[in-house]
Amino acid sequence: MSFQFTILIPLIPLISFLIIGFLYSKMSNKLAGIWGSVSIFSSFLLSLFTAYRYFFEVGRVNGVYPKILGFDFEWLRFSDSLSAHLGTLIDPISVMMLVVVTTVSLMVHIYSIGYMKGDRGFNRFFAFLSLFSFSMLGLVLSTNIFEIYIFWELVGVSSYLLIGFYYEKNSAVAASKKAFIVTRFADLFFLIGILILSFYTKTFDFISLTDPSNIAVMQTGSITFMGLSVTTWALLLIFIGGAGKSAMFPLHIWLPDAMEGPSPVSALIHAATMVVAGVFLVARLFPIYALGSDQALQVIGYVGAFTSLFAAVIAMTQMDFKRVLAFSTISQIGYMMVGLGVSGYGNEAGLGYMASMFHLFTHAMFKALLFLCAGSVIHVVHTNFINEMGGLRKHMKITHITFLIATLAIAGFPGFSGFFSKDEIITAAYHNNKIIFYTELLVAGITAFYMFRLYFRVFWNQEASYEHKPHEVEKTMTIPLIILAFLSIAVGYIPFGNFISSDSMPLESHINWGVASASIIVSFTGIIIAWVLYKKPSNLPERIVSSIKVLYTWAYHKFYIDEVYLFVTKKIIFNLISRPIAWFDRHVVDGAMNGIAWTTSWVSESIKGLQSGQLQKYALAFVSSTIILSALLIYILLNV
């Protein structure tokens, strides 16, 4: 069954970007918004059609969902055995990601029509949204690791443009540069990992790379360097690239600052595109990770666990609405990495893989909803700081209810989508690594606490003194909220294991009520503590902060990781490395080159008279030289 039409899914947003971009000054804002939204809606419909056709018409072949090249052509040939192709790969996780990306992007496009209304950069914003959507759709459909790297960098460029959208603000410019530099640094390791893997396997192709029976891939495990196999080194380097894009510790520093972009951008980056790209990358290569390197998976598991706890602790102290959600995203991505890190390949051992993809799917819905609700609140009250908010449930009823639904989902409240996916990850950790299990159980409680702290501070507590009376936002903004609120509940009931698993075989998962009960108790405890501290005005939070002032200060300042980076870059790299190199370049390298140039010029100036063009001087030189040579010859002959 042909899937060649899937090439249209990323191409439609690309065409939209080109049209809006070229007609930037001639196209009205209304037309640009409608054009961008209709374009991504077309990709959304094609994605749903692809999912239906793949899962229900093609179905399983010999018990597994096949990997299908929907569209493919050879782009570059490096050797007889190694070439780079461009095309679309249709398999369970690419189809799942198509639905996720187009759904969230469509909601963001519709929402942005109202949110960006009156902004002088309206058309530019929709052009960048289309470019971002094209980049991410191309990434998830990539047929090989070379192609995915191209779209990986396009996603980076798109995020740079959107984070720095308000380029008049120095903070926005700094945030976009920070995101670009940190992710480019990580991508260097990703590129090295690609080169190592392709050198030994002689292929870029995902189908060949992830085939468990591919002996060439497994043979790289016999080649070692510093005690680790080449496979492990390559996979760790590739994971660094994914960790940079997914803001894993210690490469997380760019994501909180990325909040300088408009709120719809935050929803797009955090929910379905850039930040989950690292998780998708590891999932795409998961058979190699699971079968070729236990060490790499262990690193992924522990990095994910630490990152989820680290970010959750910081989120408890932040006062900026969007930064709380940013650290929440880092923590939740850590959960997804944990799921992959504690997973095996095939059968029940693959529970973590399925749970990770399930959480990616559910998280996209409720995190997009959280950021869009945050955008609605900020749009109305004109401040990002939650200590300047309060009592908004009376004025923004739809935003209040939808935000509560998303908060319940991310907190793992029973019956909401986050409960089902997060419980599967914790269960997988329980069966494979008790340290990670207890860490994630603790994070579940912290997540419930800081999210309900945010909820109560914004929508309950004491009503703040607003410059203008708050009101509900317009319908183009509330309709996406309602749709995402419904999805934040409904997607949890999808029998996800029937569609997505590590080996494409059906995986029936059941709630482990022993683990789930512990998770529910911990989450309810976090909610109750937040209720007591923040539902009504109280001095209890300040008293608690004063009793743990040092710890609170460190967490509030994000454990000074940014300051450490600045110290290392400015004091060590710039002063101790870059300045001496610059001095050597100016005085030694440039000095030597300048010296050679000066000497050449002096010699040229000195001898240029020898070619004056005056015949009498040439005759004088000729006669003089003849006399001198004749005299020397006579002298030599007389003394022989």
Side-chain angles (χ1 to χ4, degrees):
M1 188 174 289
S2 175
F3 282 86
Q4 287 193 352
F5 67 89
T6 54
I7 191 64
L8 295 174
I9 297 175
L11 282 184
I12 292 173
L14 174 61
I15 294 170
S16 173
F17 162 69
L18 295 174
I19 290 175
I20 298 174
F22 282 120
L23 301 178
Y24 174 80
S25 58
K26 299 179 180 179
M27 184 177 287
S28 68
N29 288 357
K30 184 177 181 180
L31 181 58
I34 294 173
W35 184 272
S37 300
V38 169
S39 298
I40 196 64
F41 182 65
S42 301
S43 294
F44 170 71
L45 292 179
L46 284 174
S47 297
L48 291 182
F49 177 67
T50 301
Y52 174 80
R53 195 171 188 184
Y54 180 75
F55 285 120
F56 298 104
E57 292 188 0
V58 174
R60 286 191 168 88
V61 178
N62 297 323
V64 300
Y65 286 114
K67 295 180 184 293
I68 301 173
L69 288 177
F71 181 86
D72 182 65
F73 75 94
E74 184 178 282
W75 180 40
L76 294 173
R77 176 160 288 278
F78 300 100
S79 67
D80 292 338
S81 60
L82 188 62
S83 62
H85 290 237
L86 293 179
T88 60
L89 174 61
I90 308 302
D91 73 341
I93 61 169
S94 67
V95 173
M96 180 268 291
M97 287 299 296
L98 283 179
V99 174
V100 167
V101 173
T102 55
T103 300
V104 174
S105 186
L106 176 60
M107 295 300 104
V108 168
H109 273 75
I110 297 172
Y111 180 92
S112 298
I113 292 174
Y115 186 89
M116 299 299 292
K117 189 175 183 179
D119 195 292
R120 63 178 182 173
F122 188 97
N123 290 13
R124 177 165 55 92
F125 181 78
F126 272 86
F128 290 165
L129 281 186
S130 294
L131 178 63
F132 207 135
S133 300
F134 159 70
S135 303
M136 193 64 195
L137 289 169
L139 188 152
V140 301
L141 285 170
S142 295
T143 64
N144 60 81
I145 201 168
F146 191 89
E147 182 183 358
I148 203 173
Y149 187 78
I150 296 172
F151 285 103
W152 191 269
E153 296 306 313
L154 277 173
V155 169
V157 171
S158 305
S159 66
Y160 171 81
L161 294 172
L162 285 169
I163 293 169
F165 180 78
Y166 297 121
Y167 56 85
E168 304 92 344
K169 295 171 57 180
N170 292 332
S171 57
V173 173
S176 62
K177 290 193 296 184
K178 187 176 185 180
F180 193 79
I181 292 170
V182 172
T183 52
R184 292 297 74 69
F185 174 77
D187 292 349
L188 173 62
F189 294 95
F190 182 19
L191 179 60
I192 296 171
I194 290 173
L195 296 176
I196 294 173
L197 194 63
S198 61
F199 177 80
Y200 284 101
T201 61
K202 308 301 181 187
T203 183
F204 293 120
D205 184 58
F206 282 133
I207 294 178
S208 298
L209 283 172
T210 57
D211 185 354
S213 63
N214 190 331
I215 301 174
V217 174
M218 295 302 105
Q219 281 180 339
T220 62
S222 63
I223 306 170
T224 60
F225 175 71
M226 295 179 64
L228 295 177
S229 69
V230 171
T231 302
T232 300
W233 280 112
L235 295 177
L236 286 174
L237 290 168
I238 290 171
F239 170 65
I240 293 174
K245 199 73 87 181
S246 289
M248 293 290 96
F249 180 89
L251 300 172
H252 65 283
I253 58 171
W254 66 269
L255 190 58
D257 290 352
M259 299 303 98
E260 291 291 341
S263 294
V265 172
S266 302
L268 196 58
I269 290 176
H270 287 252
T273 54
M274 184 173 179
V275 181
V276 298
V279 179
F280 174 79
L281 177 64
V282 176
R284 168 59 76 206
L285 295 172
F286 186 74
I288 312 179
Y289 278 97
L291 301 175
S293 178
D294 290 337
Q295 297 98 323
L297 275 186
Q298 289 177 10
V299 170
I300 291 171
Y302 282 112
V303 169
F306 178 80
T307 301
S308 64
L309 178 60
F310 176 82
V313 170
I314 294 175
M316 290 193 293
T317 65
Q318 299 303 296
M319 302 303 294
D320 185 298
F321 199 150
K322 290 168 67 176
R323 275 180 168 75
V324 174
L325 298 180
F327 281 104
S328 168
T329 297
I330 297 173
S331 183
Q332 295 302 303
I333 298 295
Y335 258 107
M336 299 173 203
M337 288 295 188
V338 162
L340 295 171
V342 298
S343 181
Y345 183 79
N347 302 322
E348 296 297 326
L351 176 63
Y353 175 92
M354 185 279 292
S356 176
M357 294 298 96
F358 193 15
H359 197 55
L360 187 157
F361 190 72
T362 61
H363 175 265
M365 305 307 163
F366 57 70
K367 183 51 63 71
L369 177 55
L370 287 169
F371 269 108
L372 294 184
C373 286
S376 296
V377 171
I378 295 168
H379 189 72
V380 169
V381 302
H382 306 294
T383 181
N384 284 36
F385 296 99
I386 60 176
N387 57 340
E388 298 175 10
M389 302 177 188
L392 288 175
R393 73 186 188 281
K394 304 173 184 177
H395 310 286
M396 306 179 71
K397 295 181 180 179
I398 295 177
T399 303
H400 166 237
I401 295 299
T402 53
F403 188 86
L404 176 59
I405 290 171
T407 303
L408 290 168
I410 195 173
F413 196 88
F416 292 78
S417 61
F419 167 75
F420 299 104
S421 57
K422 188 184 293 186
D423 178 72
E424 298 288 10
I425 292 176
I426 295 176
T427 300
Y430 175 78
H431 290 302
N432 290 275
N433 190 310
K434 291 299 190 292
I435 295 175
I436 293 179
F437 164 70
Y438 285 114
T439 301
E440 297 313 297
L441 198 61
L442 175 62
V443 172
I446 296 175
T447 302
F449 169 75
Y450 70 69
M451 285 306 304
F452 272 89
R453 166 185 176 263
L454 182 63
Y455 166 71
F456 288 128
R457 289 294 297 260
V458 173
F459 293 100
W460 291 79
N461 210 285
Q462 183 177 355
E463 183 167 341
S465 176
Y466 300 109
E467 185 177 347
H468 304 286
K469 185 178 179 180
H471 56 84
E472 188 58 88
V473 292
E474 58 186 87
K475 288 184 178 180
T476 55
M477 298 169 69
T478 56
I479 289 174
L481 301 185
I482 295 169
I483 294 172
L484 287 170
F486 169 75
L487 293 175
S488 295
I489 300 172
V491 296
Y493 295 91
I494 295 174
F496 202 78
N498 290 343
F499 303 102
I500 311 290
S501 63
S502 60
D503 58 355
S504 293
M505 297 285 286
L507 175 63
E508 291 188 15
S509 58
H510 305 282
I511 296 177
N512 184 324
W513 284 109
V515 174
S517 298
S519 177
I520 291 171
I521 292 171
V522 169
S523 296
F524 267 83
T525 302
I527 294 172
I528 292 170
I529 293 173
W531 174 292
V532 172
L533 295 178
Y534 299 106
K535 185 174 181 292
K536 295 180 180 179
S538 169
N539 65 351
L540 190 56
E542 286 75 17
R543 287 163 53 192
I544 294 174
V545 168
S546 63
S547 66
I548 53 170
K549 191 170 184 178
V550 175
L551 179 59
Y552 179 87
T553 302
W554 275 70
Y556 180 77
H557 290 285
K558 297 165 281 189
F559 295 96
Y560 299 98
I561 301 297
D562 286 82
E563 287 77 5
V564 171
Y565 273 107
L566 287 174
F567 175 80
V568 170
T569 53
K570 290 187 174 181
K571 301 297 183 181
I572 298 178
I573 296 177
F574 291 171
N575 288 341
L576 301 182
I577 299 176
S578 299
R579 289 184 188 278
I581 290 175
W583 183 92
F584 182 84
D585 181 64
R586 279 196 307 271
H587 294 85
V588 178
V589 178
D590 288 352
M593 295 300 103
N594 291 337
I596 293 172
W598 180 86
T599 303
T600 303
S601 178
W602 177 80
V603 171
S604 300
E605 187 69 27
S606 302
I607 66 174
K608 69 180 181 180
L610 296 176
Q611 293 185 347
S612 64
Q614 297 179 3
L615 184 61
Q616 58 271 33
K617 288 186 177 182
Y618 292 161
L620 177 63
F622 176 75
V623 172
S624 300
S625 299
T626 302
I627 294 172
I628 293 171
L629 289 173
S630 299
L632 286 173
L633 181 61
I634 293 170
Y635 175 79
I636 292 170
L637 292 173
L638 291 175
N639 287 278
V640 171

